[in-house]
Amino acid sequence: MADSPTTSRILRVGRANSDLRPVTLERGAVPYAEGSCVVSFGRTRVLCAASVESGVPGWKKGSGEGWVTAEYAMLPRATRTRVSRERSQVGGRTQEIQRLIGRSVRAMLDGFAFGEFTVKVDCDVLQADGGTRTAAITGACVAVEDAFAWMVATGRLPVSPVRRRVAAISVGIIDGEPRLDLDYEEDVRAGVDMNVVMSSEGRFVEVQGTGENGTFAREELNALLDLAVHGIGTLDGMQQQVLAQPLPMPV
Amino acid sequence: MADSPTTSRILRVGRANSDLRPVTLERGAVPYAEGSCVVSFGRTRVLCAASVESGVPGWKKGSGEGWVTAEYAMLPRATRTRVSRERSQVGGRTQEIQRLIGRSVRAMLDGFAFGEFTVKVDCDVLQADGGTRTAAITGACVAVEDAFAWMVATGRLPVSPVRRRVAAISVGIIDGEPRLDLDYEEDVRAGVDMNVVMSSEGRFVEVQGTGENGTFAREELNALLDLAVHGIGTLDGMQQQVLAQPLPMPV
Amino acid sequence: MADSPTTSRILRVGRANSDLRPVTLERGAVPYAEGSCVVSFGRTRVLCAASVESGVPGWKKGSGEGWVTAEYAMLPRATRTRVSRERSQVGGRTQEIQRLIGRSVRAMLDGFAFGEFTVKVDCDVLQADGGTRTAAITGACVAVEDAFAWMVATGRLPVSPVRRRVAAISVGIIDGEPRLDLDYEEDVRAGVDMNVVMSSEGRFVEVQGTGENGTFAREELNALLDLAVHGIGTLDGMQQQVLAQPLPMPV
Amino acid sequence: MADSPTTSRILRVGRANSDLRPVTLERGAVPYAEGSCVVSFGRTRVLCAASVESGVPGWKKGSGEGWVTAEYAMLPRATRTRVSRERSQVGGRTQEIQRLIGRSVRAMLDGFAFGEFTVKVDCDVLQADGGTRTAAITGACVAVEDAFAWMVATGRLPVSPVRRRVAAISVGIIDGEPRLDLDYEEDVRAGVDMNVVMSSEGRFVEVQGTGENGTFAREELNALLDLAVHGIGTLDGMQQQVLAQPLPMPV
Amino acid sequence: MADSPTTSRILRVGRANSDLRPVTLERGAVPYAEGSCVVSFGRTRVLCAASVESGVPGWKKGSGEGWVTAEYAMLPRATRTRVSRERSQVGGRTQEIQRLIGRSVRAMLDGFAFGEFTVKVDCDVLQADGGTRTAAITGACVAVEDAFAWMVATGRLPVSPVRRRVAAISVGIIDGEPRLDLDYEEDVRAGVDMNVVMSSEGRFVEVQGTGENGTFAREELNALLDLAVHGIGTLDGMQQQVLAQPLPMPV
Amino acid sequence: MADSPTTSRILRVGRANSDLRPVTLERGAVPYAEGSCVVSFGRTRVLCAASVESGVPGWKKGSGEGWVTAEYAMLPRATRTRVSRERSQVGGRTQEIQRLIGRSVRAMLDGFAFGEFTVKVDCDVLQADGGTRTAAITGACVAVEDAFAWMVATGRLPVSPVRRRVAAISVGIIDGEPRLDLDYEEDVRAGVDMNVVMSSEGRFVEVQGTGENGTFAREELNALLDLAVHGIGTLDGMQQQVLAQPLPMPV
């Protein structure tokens, strides 16, 4: 029930169209989890906890292969006005996002030949100011990489199946200008909105562009992709740095 | 419980990588609906029925504006092996698809200032052989255009709010080759899979590219977009033709 | 949102009280299904697809016996005004109808000693103008007979367990006159409404008479049964004819 | 987990095929309800409580008319082996039965012009030994008649809209012999099973005959109806007697 | 829809603050159940039926141990105004009560080393006038003791694992006075309300005191506990007496 | 999937039986919420966010009164092994806890005459090591007090209706010794376990003692209450201190 922001709030104070918001990655932030990371993109803040569980979903049983999957949720007061919990049916937006995160972290591997284990990464949004799905993917990558490293460190696997990192960012067009890493107010104003997931090898994992309030031309698509490539490069460097530190072990 | 197809089945017999499958649009196929179209892309066949209802969802009540939305489902035996009905919870895939169809048909308008009516387009897959969501969007466009035309013809609206058509196609990379309009077996084999929705003005409405079994480079993305632009051009021509016939009226 | 029909619409133009509406049976209409039939009774049109699945419901496991069952649903715009999908709870009417169809097709057999297979027949109403449950039973019979014939043709069974056909029709009393095969408007006006299912041996499988808007005397019951026996005789002849053609095989 | 009954148990000891089981009607048995009756048919025992509530279902709002409806349930240990409560979805059998009871008690009236009140009759099976739905209808009739009498006695209605009583009985064919009022073991053994509801005017309200384990001929149908007419005559006399006593008032 | 009681109704006529309402325990009242008891505390009346089932919940499978659990529900018209059935989700109050009953009857045993059986006690409220959960516990104890005795009598167990009885009563403070065994109207008026469960050894099993309409001091807590100890002593004597009779066997 | 702790872990190192674990209260920790507090009791950590919403639940509409209520949930990896989200039905334990929190924070007021607003406090467990419900109540008190203060500060209320604080602690008996503030391992080992909620006036709000693994005597109850009174005194002092600081305003 916060009072509505004054319309004079100036967007992107001191931030160029091609700048990310301040990004932090707190690796190992969930002491009980096999891998974890609290990620922030500006005021957006997501807790990512990867759990290693014996067994796989029914359709994989007996295959000798593992699985990697994700769940996504928001705390009710992660947002400016309270949003109800999804306690009787999981909404379409939530399902869409958690399927996207799942596909993205599965792209870190080239197959699931690591035995019948499931790595499930829970992405819980503590604070939401736009870009929760891209922040979640970026943090989930760190959590998943560490969960597999924990399996190696504890003798469950001889070697980690992780082959690459993934990171993600949103881009959009506002008043005709392409911008990187939209916050909530920018997201609402954007006519075109795209989420891009890329690997540490510089290839695309997902490209999801939507023009509900306006269609977009091929050149605009290209300009948005340029911005995204730039932003994801920065995120990938941060992941690389934080993962170069020694592995935090769960308590 | 069909016997599994022989592995020697040769893909795309007599169809170039840039060819669509045979496409048909049966406008007015649902006699009770205000607008309708049964669309086929090869063996994929989707019944699209647009209904005009008084009233709008709760969050639009009192706004004086209308709404356009979509539902998607498959008949249980639309597929080679039976798939259960979604009778207790709507699955993530279904929600993702019906949200995509909804956004696509809303892009036909530049706003909802046509009074508190809801146009709901039901896309029920009669037969599924890949590309059900793109066929659904292409058929839904015809149904929605006719539902608004019916509102004009019956005096409910002075003029139709429809500003453009939309159509959609899938593209993917199989064994390194970009291909247009994948059928089910191609879809399963594709490393990269993209759904593209465009307007009759030649602009993008949605671009959704996914590389779960393999990432993709910028050039591959470009090649896929080229193919999609080409295929959607053909679909748009067919929509234009069929819509040039006199409006079928519901019984 | 169709305009309401004018009250001057004359019921049963050119159809005697003891006439069926035009009936068609399109055998093999669902290419992927092991048995199928699209049936129409006038403007009522139902797609019946029988699927053969390995395994049986939990309470039959290990019995060595099979099972035959049915599901029923309507496309949302099968009706003059749109009806919501049953996506969170299956309604009472739907359950009643699909239980009736299941009992009716099970009466085609004298037991389930054909191994642990389930034949499930999906009856999806494409268009509804009264009599959907009786049309569904009549079409489901053809689909189920063919599903068992497919099991014989593909070597899964040595001989079909089907012993008889079943067919069904509605009868009712309108303005004191017994009538056969009510359409939607007649159904609404009928004081007494009965659904009758009979075997090809001329015996009753189900008799369900309801007098919510008026009770009925024994003589009226008898007159209705006479009409039903007459109508079902015709339907049975049509089933016999269509089933005498060679078995269509699923693609 | 009761031990299974010895197979030597002789059916219908001291009861002719045309005899009812001992029947009791305890009118006013639920002190808080506006009308109530605990009915037993042998060991089957059903508590029927009619509640008068202001208001009607949504589709009747503003019509000035009332509604009469029913709910049916079994206590988990009404049966020889415990049956789970229906706490997440109401099963098909339950829905079928409560819809039948609802239609039956609505046949006591010739319309709903008694103002926007709902009379809801809850039929809870305390003990189940076959015939629960027919006992429920017979008891519900008494409860509903008293609920309307209470509305008259308390000045809510000038006169009761009840025009007739209804009662119901089951009949079936066992080893070729038609029998009245089947208990649970007879019901399991019956090849044909029919439930008949009649009014106190001697007319039919519902006739539901099912031959899942065997079809039935027209003469058998007639013999079963003869038995039902006879049994319902007796039940109607008992209802008449018990309703001739002064109206019990709720505490 | 009973008329609201006159405000002049005088509470607790002829009953001292430390008096129980008239209590009855009808042991063996549910003929099919392995153990049962219909208990009344004044006008509150609860049917308790204990069922013995083979098998245990998933988390106990393979442990060689059994389990004892409870379900609780109210008939819709157990109350002065009708309460809806819990048919889609079990409410918080119901879950809280059935968990309390389960813990209470489990306290009758010192472990579950009686093999993989489940004793489930269903507590269905026939009439509700306050204190339904305490009456349910008191009756459930009798039903559970008899269910284990039946297992011994039928050779399923060599000896009963029951070590003690449990009984329960409510106490509360009304207008500053501690009172025993509140009826519905007292319960509504009480500022503090406590439910106490004790064993036949005079020790506490559960103490649940709530002061939603007013907090309470340590001395008040003590006075309430004194009253509860006194009332439970009486209930325990009644259980002892009724259980001293020969074991009723299910039909 | 953490390795199981070694059995040699010594409980309560350096903590007397009457000591609390280290407690922290981070007031204003959720920037968007009208009132908030992240509370820790040792490794247990709960985020409490109070939201002010216009309107009240249906049963309060038109009363002119407000309402205060609570929801409780755990992040899936708040625990040593992952616990599934409650996405289709809210479990009994969760409902019990959130009802307890709701009653506790309502005891801060003497009525709801502050207009038709709802204050809803969400208690989300970030990390769980025993005592989550008592930590949640202690933190929720701070959040609720601030939510009302925010209503005063922003002119929505002339004066806060808060009359007192509430705080809560768990106590239990382990190996015969009463202990204050049990962590998870102590909780598992405790034969008796009690949660006590008290007001800042030193009176009881809730007393919930349970002896599932062993009953308890009156003296033991008294010893546990003594410990709880002591511990809650300390918590109340901390609340008082942190609330003496200036009110943090939501962003």
Side-chain angles (χ1 to χ4, degrees):
Chain A
M1 212 190 197
D3 296 298
S4 53
T6 58
T7 55
S8 63
R9 176 196 280 262
I10 298 155
L11 293 167
R12 274 187 116 85
V13 176
R15 181 153 75 103
N17 283 346
S18 60
D19 283 355
L20 295 172
R21 292 176 285 177
V23 173
T24 62
L25 298 168
E26 301 165 51
R27 190 181 171 208
V30 179
Y32 294 151
E34 284 77 34
S36 68
C37 183
V38 172
V39 55
S40 1
F41 283 15
R43 287 204 288 201
T44 288
R45 196 168 161 76
V46 185
L47 184 156
C48 305
S51 299
V52 178
E53 299 183 312
S54 291
V56 283
W59 55 277
K60 277 241 146 183
K61 265 189 194 133
S63 69
E65 292 200 332
W67 189 236
V68 179
T69 186
E71 292 192 4
Y72 170 94
M74 288 213 288
L75 291 201
R77 201 52 200 276
T79 42
R80 269 149 219 256
T81 51
R82 189 180 183 275
V83 174
S84 296
R85 293 169 196 274
E86 294 184 323
R87 280 186 156 173
S88 56
Q89 176 140 347
V90 182
R93 179 184 171 276
T94 295
Q95 293 212 41
E96 210 166 286
I97 294 176
Q98 65 190 13
R99 285 159 57 91
L100 171 65
I101 302 171
R103 289 195 305 270
S104 297
V105 290
R106 283 194 290 276
M108 297 169 66
L109 280 60
D110 283 337
F112 303 97
F114 51 86
E116 295 202 357
F117 290 97
T118 296
V119 174
K120 181 172 274 177
V121 58
D122 287 289
C123 300
D124 285 272
V125 179
L126 302 178
Q127 205 166 303
D129 187 31
T132 63
R133 77 188 72 186
T134 52
I137 290 167
T138 306
C141 168
V142 173
V144 168
E145 177 144 348
D146 276 356
F148 281 111
W150 175 87
M151 290 177 81
V152 173
T154 59
R156 280 164 175 89
L157 285 184
V159 63
S160 170
V162 172
R163 291 286 164 273
R164 64 193 64 84
R165 290 180 301 280
V166 296
I169 202 67
S170 74
V171 283
I173 298 178
I174 299 172
D175 303 337
E177 290 182 12
R179 297 193 188 183
L180 182 68
D181 189 18
L182 310 187
D183 67 20
Y184 176 72
E185 288 182 46
E186 290 176 310
D187 192 48
V188 167
R189 289 185 47 188
V192 179
D193 175 20
M194 190 176 307
N195 292 293
V196 179
V197 187
M198 293 183 77
S199 73
S200 48
E201 296 152 344
R203 292 169 64 89
F204 293 106
V205 174
E206 292 266 342
V207 173
Q208 295 200 338
T210 294
E212 187 161 332
N213 304 314
T215 55
F216 51 105
R218 185 85 175 251
E219 318 78 80
E220 291 170 314
L221 173 59
N222 282 328
L224 289 172
L225 289 171
D226 289 343
L227 268 186
V229 168
H230 162 73
I232 291 175
T234 306
L235 293 173
D236 183 64
M238 296 183 70
Q239 289 175 325
Q240 195 172 354
Q241 269 196 339
V242 75
L243 284 164
Q245 304 301 317
L247 177 69
M249 292 295 285
V251 298
Chain B
M1 210 191 198
D3 296 297
S4 52
T6 58
T7 54
S8 64
R9 176 195 280 262
I10 296 156
L11 293 168
R12 275 188 114 85
V13 176
R15 179 153 75 103
N17 282 346
S18 61
D19 282 355
L20 294 172
R21 290 176 286 177
V23 172
T24 63
L25 297 168
E26 300 164 53
R27 189 180 169 212
V30 179
Y32 295 150
E34 283 77 34
S36 68
C37 182
V38 171
V39 55
S40 359
F41 283 16
R43 288 205 286 204
T44 287
R45 196 167 161 78
V46 185
L47 185 156
C48 306
S51 300
V52 178
E53 299 184 312
S54 291
V56 282
W59 55 277
K60 278 238 146 183
K61 265 189 193 131
S63 68
E65 294 200 332
W67 189 235
V68 180
T69 185
E71 291 194 6
Y72 170 93
M74 289 211 289
L75 291 201
R77 201 54 199 277
T79 42
R80 272 149 217 256
T81 51
R82 186 179 186 277
V83 173
S84 296
R85 293 169 198 276
E86 294 183 323
R87 280 186 155 174
S88 56
Q89 176 140 349
V90 183
R93 178 185 172 275
T94 296
Q95 293 212 41
E96 209 167 286
I97 294 176
Q98 68 190 12
R99 284 158 58 90
L100 171 65
I101 302 170
R103 288 195 306 269
S104 298
V105 291
R106 281 193 293 274
M108 297 169 66
L109 282 60
D110 282 338
F112 303 97
F114 51 86
E116 297 205 356
F117 290 99
T118 295
V119 174
K120 182 173 274 179
V121 58
D122 287 289
C123 299
D124 285 272
V125 179
L126 302 178
Q127 204 166 305
D129 187 31
T132 61
R133 79 188 70 186
T134 52
I137 290 165
T138 306
C141 167
V142 174
V144 168
E145 177 143 348
D146 276 357
F148 281 110
W150 174 87
M151 290 177 79
V152 174
T154 58
R156 281 165 175 88
L157 286 184
V159 64
S160 169
V162 172
R163 292 286 165 271
R164 63 192 67 86
R165 290 181 300 282
V166 295
I169 201 67
S170 75
V171 284
I173 298 178
I174 298 173
D175 303 337
E177 290 182 12
R179 297 193 187 185
L180 182 68
D181 189 17
L182 310 186
D183 67 19
Y184 177 71
E185 289 183 44
E186 290 176 310
D187 192 49
V188 166
R189 286 185 48 190
V192 178
D193 175 21
M194 190 176 309
N195 292 292
V196 179
V197 187
M198 292 183 76
S199 73
S200 50
E201 295 152 345
R203 292 168 65 88
F204 294 104
V205 175
E206 289 267 341
V207 173
Q208 295 201 339
T210 294
E212 188 162 333
N213 304 312
T215 54
F216 50 107
R218 184 81 176 253
E219 315 80 80
E220 291 171 312
L221 173 60
N222 281 329
L224 289 172
L225 289 172
D226 288 344
L227 269 185
V229 168
H230 162 72
I232 291 174
T234 307
L235 294 173
D236 183 62
M238 296 184 67
Q239 289 175 326
Q240 195 172 354
Q241 269 196 338
V242 76
L243 285 165
Q245 305 300 317
L247 177 68
M249 291 295 285
V251 298
Chain C
M1 210 189 199
D3 295 297
S4 52
T6 58
T7 54
S8 63
R9 176 193 280 262
I10 296 153
L11 292 167
R12 275 188 115 83
V13 176
R15 180 153 75 104
N17 282 345
S18 61
D19 284 355
L20 294 173
R21 290 176 286 177
V23 172
T24 61
L25 297 168
E26 301 165 51
R27 189 182 171 210
V30 179
Y32 294 149
E34 283 78 34
S36 68
C37 183
V38 171
V39 55
S40 1
F41 284 15
R43 287 206 286 202
T44 287
R45 193 167 163 78
V46 185
L47 184 156
C48 305
S51 299
V52 178
E53 299 184 311
S54 291
V56 283
W59 55 277
K60 278 240 145 181
K61 263 187 196 134
S63 69
E65 294 200 330
W67 189 236
V68 180
T69 185
E71 291 193 6
Y72 169 95
M74 289 211 290
L75 291 201
R77 202 52 200 276
T79 42
R80 270 149 218 257
T81 51
R82 187 179 186 276
V83 174
S84 295
R85 295 170 195 274
E86 293 183 324
R87 281 186 155 173
S88 56
Q89 175 139 347
V90 182
R93 178 184 172 277
T94 296
Q95 293 212 40
E96 211 168 285
I97 294 176
Q98 67 189 13
R99 284 159 58 92
L100 171 64
I101 301 170
R103 289 194 307 269
S104 298
V105 291
R106 282 192 292 274
M108 297 168 67
L109 281 60
D110 283 339
F112 303 96
F114 52 88
E116 296 203 358
F117 290 99
T118 295
V119 174
K120 181 172 276 178
V121 58
D122 287 289
C123 299
D124 285 90
V125 179
L126 301 178
Q127 204 166 305
D129 187 30
T132 62
R133 76 188 73 186
T134 53
I137 290 166
T138 305
C141 168
V142 173
V144 168
E145 177 144 347
D146 276 357
F148 280 111
W150 176 87
M151 290 177 79
V152 173
T154 58
R156 282 166 174 87
L157 285 183
V159 63
S160 170
V162 172
R163 293 284 164 274
R164 62 194 66 84
R165 288 180 302 280
V166 296
I169 202 67
S170 74
V171 285
I173 298 177
I174 299 173
D175 302 337
E177 291 182 13
R179 298 194 187 183
L180 182 67
D181 189 17
L182 310 186
D183 67 18
Y184 177 72
E185 288 183 44
E186 290 177 310
D187 192 48
V188 166
R189 288 186 45 189
V192 178
D193 176 21
M194 190 174 310
N195 291 294
V196 180
V197 188
M198 293 184 75
S199 74
S200 50
E201 296 152 343
R203 293 169 63 89
F204 293 106
V205 175
E206 290 269 343
V207 174
Q208 296 200 339
T210 294
E212 187 162 333
N213 304 313
T215 55
F216 51 107
R218 184 81 175 252
E219 315 81 79
E220 291 172 312
L221 173 59
N222 281 329
L224 289 172
L225 289 172
D226 289 344
L227 268 185
V229 168
H230 162 72
I232 290 175
T234 306
L235 294 173
D236 183 63
M238 296 184 69
Q239 288 175 325
Q240 196 172 353
Q241 269 196 338
V242 76
L243 284 165
Q245 304 300 318
L247 177 67
M249 292 295 286
V251 298
Chain D
M1 211 191 197
D3 296 298
S4 53
T6 58
T7 55
S8 64
R9 175 196 280 262
I10 297 155
L11 293 166
R12 276 187 112 87
V13 177
R15 178 151 79 102
N17 282 346
S18 61
D19 283 355
L20 295 172
R21 290 176 286 176
V23 172
T24 61
L25 296 168
E26 301 165 51
R27 188 183 173 209
V30 179
Y32 294 149
E34 283 78 36
S36 69
C37 183
V38 172
V39 54
S40 3
F41 283 15
R43 286 203 288 202
T44 288
R45 195 167 163 77
V46 185
L47 184 155
C48 305
S51 299
V52 178
E53 298 183 312
S54 291
V56 283
W59 54 277
K60 278 238 145 186
K61 266 190 194 132
S63 68
E65 294 201 330
W67 189 237
V68 179
T69 186
E71 291 192 7
Y72 170 94
M74 289 212 288
L75 291 201
R77 200 54 199 274
T79 42
R80 271 149 219 254
T81 51
R82 189 179 184 275
V83 174
S84 295
R85 295 170 196 275
E86 294 183 325
R87 281 186 157 176
S88 55
Q89 176 138 351
V90 182
R93 178 183 172 275
T94 296
Q95 292 212 41
E96 209 168 286
I97 294 176
Q98 67 190 14
R99 283 158 58 92
L100 171 64
I101 301 171
R103 290 194 306 269
S104 298
V105 292
R106 281 193 293 274
M108 297 169 65
L109 281 59
D110 283 339
F112 302 96
F114 51 86
E116 296 204 358
F117 290 99
T118 296
V119 174
K120 181 171 274 178
V121 57
D122 287 289
C123 299
D124 284 273
V125 179
L126 302 178
Q127 203 165 304
D129 188 31
T132 61
R133 79 188 71 187
T134 52
I137 291 166
T138 307
C141 168
V142 174
V144 167
E145 178 143 349
D146 276 357
F148 281 110
W150 175 85
M151 289 177 81
V152 174
T154 59
R156 281 165 175 88
L157 286 182
V159 62
S160 171
V162 172
R163 292 286 165 273
R164 62 193 68 84
R165 288 180 303 280
V166 296
I169 202 66
S170 75
V171 284
I173 298 178
I174 298 173
D175 303 337
E177 290 181 14
R179 297 194 187 182
L180 182 67
D181 189 17
L182 310 186
D183 67 19
Y184 177 72
E185 289 183 42
E186 291 177 309
D187 191 48
V188 167
R189 288 185 47 190
V192 179
D193 175 21
M194 191 176 306
N195 292 293
V196 180
V197 187
M198 293 183 75
S199 73
S200 49
E201 295 151 345
R203 291 169 64 91
F204 294 105
V205 175
E206 291 266 343
V207 173
Q208 295 201 337
T210 295
E212 186 163 333
N213 303 313
T215 54
F216 51 105
R218 183 82 176 253
E219 317 79 82
E220 290 172 313
L221 173 60
N222 282 329
L224 289 172
L225 289 172
D226 290 343
L227 269 185
V229 169
H230 161 72
I232 291 174
T234 307
L235 293 173
D236 183 62
M238 294 183 71
Q239 288 175 327
Q240 195 172 355
Q241 268 196 339
V242 75
L243 284 165
Q245 305 300 317
L247 176 68
M249 291 295 283
V251 297
Chain E
M1 211 192 196
D3 296 297
S4 52
T6 56
T7 53
S8 64
R9 176 195 280 262
I10 296 154
L11 292 167
R12 277 187 112 87
V13 176
R15 180 153 76 103
N17 283 346
S18 60
D19 283 355
L20 294 172
R21 290 175 287 177
V23 172
T24 61
L25 297 168
E26 300 164 52
R27 189 183 171 209
V30 179
Y32 294 149
E34 284 77 34
S36 68
C37 183
V38 172
V39 55
S40 3
F41 283 16
R43 288 205 286 202
T44 288
R45 195 167 161 79
V46 186
L47 184 155
C48 305
S51 299
V52 178
E53 298 183 312
S54 291
V56 282
W59 55 277
K60 277 241 145 181
K61 263 186 196 135
S63 69
E65 294 201 332
W67 189 237
V68 180
T69 185
E71 290 192 6
Y72 170 94
M74 289 213 288
L75 292 201
R77 201 53 200 275
T79 42
R80 271 150 218 256
T81 51
R82 188 179 184 276
V83 174
S84 295
R85 294 171 196 274
E86 293 182 325
R87 280 185 157 179
S88 56
Q89 176 140 348
V90 182
R93 179 184 172 274
T94 296
Q95 292 211 41
E96 209 167 287
I97 294 176
Q98 66 190 14
R99 283 159 58 92
L100 171 65
I101 301 171
R103 288 195 306 269
S104 297
V105 291
R106 282 193 291 276
M108 296 169 67
L109 279 61
D110 283 339
F112 303 96
F114 52 87
E116 295 202 359
F117 290 98
T118 295
V119 174
K120 183 173 274 178
V121 57
D122 287 289
C123 299
D124 284 272
V125 179
L126 302 177
Q127 203 166 305
D129 187 32
T132 62
R133 77 188 73 187
T134 53
I137 291 166
T138 306
C141 168
V142 173
V144 167
E145 177 143 350
D146 276 357
F148 281 111
W150 175 87
M151 289 177 82
V152 174
T154 59
R156 280 164 176 89
L157 285 184
V159 63
S160 170
V162 172
R163 292 286 164 274
R164 63 192 67 84
R165 290 180 301 279
V166 296
I169 202 68
S170 75
V171 284
I173 298 178
I174 298 171
D175 303 336
E177 290 182 13
R179 296 193 189 184
L180 182 67
D181 189 17
L182 310 187
D183 66 20
Y184 177 72
E185 289 184 43
E186 290 176 310
D187 193 46
V188 167
R189 289 185 45 189
V192 179
D193 176 20
M194 190 176 307
N195 291 293
V196 180
V197 188
M198 293 182 76
S199 74
S200 49
E201 295 153 343
R203 292 169 64 90
F204 293 105
V205 174
E206 290 266 344
V207 173
Q208 295 201 339
T210 294
E212 188 162 332
N213 304 312
T215 54
F216 50 106
R218 184 84 176 251
E219 317 78 81
E220 290 171 313
L221 173 59
N222 282 329
L224 289 172
L225 289 172
D226 289 343
L227 268 185
V229 168
H230 161 72
I232 291 174
T234 306
L235 294 172
D236 183 64
M238 295 184 69
Q239 289 176 325
Q240 194 173 357
Q241 267 196 340
V242 77
L243 284 165
Q245 304 300 318
L247 177 69
M249 292 295 285
V251 299
Chain F
M1 210 191 197
D3 297 296
S4 53
T6 57
T7 54
S8 64
R9 177 196 279 263
I10 297 156
L11 294 166
R12 276 187 115 85
V13 176
R15 179 153 75 104
N17 283 346
S18 59
D19 283 355
L20 295 172
R21 291 177 284 177
V23 172
T24 62
L25 297 167
E26 299 165 53
R27 190 181 170 209
V30 179
Y32 294 149
E34 284 78 34
S36 69
C37 183
V38 171
V39 55
S40 2
F41 284 15
R43 287 204 287 201
T44 289
R45 194 165 162 78
V46 185
L47 184 156
C48 305
S51 299
V52 178
E53 299 183 312
S54 290
V56 283
W59 55 275
K60 277 239 145 181
K61 263 184 196 136
S63 69
E65 293 202 332
W67 188 237
V68 180
T69 185
E71 292 193 5
Y72 170 94
M74 289 211 289
L75 291 201
R77 202 52 200 274
T79 43
R80 271 150 217 255
T81 50
R82 190 181 183 274
V83 173
S84 296
R85 294 171 197 274
E86 294 183 323
R87 280 186 156 175
S88 56
Q89 175 140 351
V90 182
R93 177 184 173 276
T94 296
Q95 293 212 40
E96 210 167 286
I97 294 176
Q98 67 190 14
R99 285 159 57 91
L100 171 64
I101 301 171
R103 290 194 305 269
S104 297
V105 290
R106 283 192 291 275
M108 296 168 67
L109 281 60
D110 284 337
F112 303 96
F114 52 87
E116 296 203 358
F117 290 100
T118 295
V119 174
K120 180 171 278 179
V121 58
D122 287 290
C123 300
D124 285 89
V125 178
L126 301 177
Q127 203 165 303
D129 187 31
T132 62
R133 79 189 71 187
T134 52
I137 291 166
T138 306
C141 167
V142 173
V144 168
E145 177 143 349
D146 275 357
F148 281 111
W150 175 87
M151 291 177 80
V152 174
T154 58
R156 282 165 175 88
L157 286 184
V159 63
S160 170
V162 172
R163 292 286 164 274
R164 62 193 68 84
R165 288 179 304 278
V166 296
I169 202 67
S170 74
V171 284
I173 298 179
I174 298 172
D175 304 336
E177 289 183 13
R179 296 193 188 183
L180 182 68
D181 189 16
L182 310 187
D183 66 21
Y184 177 71
E185 288 184 44
E186 291 177 311
D187 192 47
V188 168
R189 288 183 49 188
V192 179
D193 175 21
M194 190 176 306
N195 291 293
V196 180
V197 187
M198 294 183 76
S199 73
S200 50
E201 295 152 344
R203 292 169 64 90
F204 293 106
V205 174
E206 290 268 341
V207 173
Q208 296 201 338
T210 295
E212 188 163 331
N213 302 311
T215 53
F216 50 105
R218 185 81 176 253
E219 316 80 77
E220 290 172 311
L221 173 59
N222 282 329
L224 289 172
L225 290 171
D226 289 344
L227 269 185
V229 168
H230 162 72
I232 291 173
T234 306
L235 294 173
D236 183 63
M238 295 183 70
Q239 289 175 325
Q240 196 171 354
Q241 268 195 340
V242 75
L243 286 164
Q245 304 300 318
L247 177 68
M249 291 296 284
V251 297

